[in-house]
Amino acid sequence: MKIIRNISFAGLLCMASGNILAQTVTPSADSLVVYNAHVKLTIDSRTGKVNYLFSNGVRLQNTIATVEELTNGKLASTDFSQHRYSTTPMQDASGKGVTISIIHSDPSKPLKLEQHITVYAQSSHLLLDVQAIGDA
């Protein structure tokens, strides 16, 4: 199996202040919402697009994940027909939070995109990662 990895650790920082006591994760039939005092993240499981709303008013809507694959060229999460997500509690040196894994797949494509978004409960930044997985 070939793995093509493109890591982009984004410091999507928002200028927020105050303490946070909790992080909320709310799944539904067609979306997942994760929020804390600093950011609200909404994943649309029909389209694979992600919306970010930061407490300072910055809004990123309908964002997609892309990779540049050597054989297949540019692949975007919207090129796939299925978007499954899962969540995993996590803790590292930056704090506690949740990692969201989104698998973008399509029966007609040899590759899948695996996207990870880590949301920290008491922090205003996110970690983003996307990789193409499969035999191309």
Side-chain angles (χ1 to χ4, degrees):
M1 180 186 316
K2 219 187 261 187
I3 297 178
I4 301 98
R5 190 167 184 95
N6 177 17
I7 300 175
S8 57
F9 290 103
L12 296 175
L13 298 176
C14 70
M15 305 304 287
S17 62
N19 291 329
I20 177 165
L21 299 175
Q23 176 170 279
T24 303
V25 178
T26 308
S28 71
D30 59 0
S31 68
L32 173 71
V33 178
V34 177
Y35 67 91
N36 60 33
H38 306 287
V39 63
K40 179 180 180 183
L41 180 105
T42 305
I43 298 164
D44 186 326
S45 58
R46 292 169 294 145
T47 65
K49 294 180 179 179
V50 182
N51 296 328
Y52 304 86
L53 175 59
F54 293 92
S55 61
N56 65 354
V58 172
R59 181 183 302 251
L60 304 172
Q61 294 183 291
N62 297 314
T63 67
I64 61 171
T66 63
V67 296
E68 190 71 33
E69 203 274 322
L70 296 175
T71 306
N72 296 297
K74 184 178 179 180
L75 296 172
S77 54
T78 51
D79 295 335
F80 298 86
S81 62
Q82 299 168 356
H83 314 278
R84 294 183 331 267
Y85 65 80
S86 62
T87 60
T88 306
M90 55 74 59
Q91 182 173 359
D92 62 17
S94 295
K96 291 182 180 181
V98 63
T99 297
I100 305 158
S101 299
I102 311 166
I103 305 298
H104 306 281
S105 62
D106 192 300
S108 68
K109 298 193 184 308
L111 297 174
K112 297 177 184 178
L113 288 187
E114 184 175 336
Q115 181 179 4
H116 300 106
I117 305 168
T118 299
V119 182
Y120 290 95
Q122 297 183 357
S123 183
S124 61
H125 71 272
L126 307 172
L127 298 181
L128 307 176
D129 169 38
V130 63
Q131 62 185 357
I133 300 174
D135 297 318

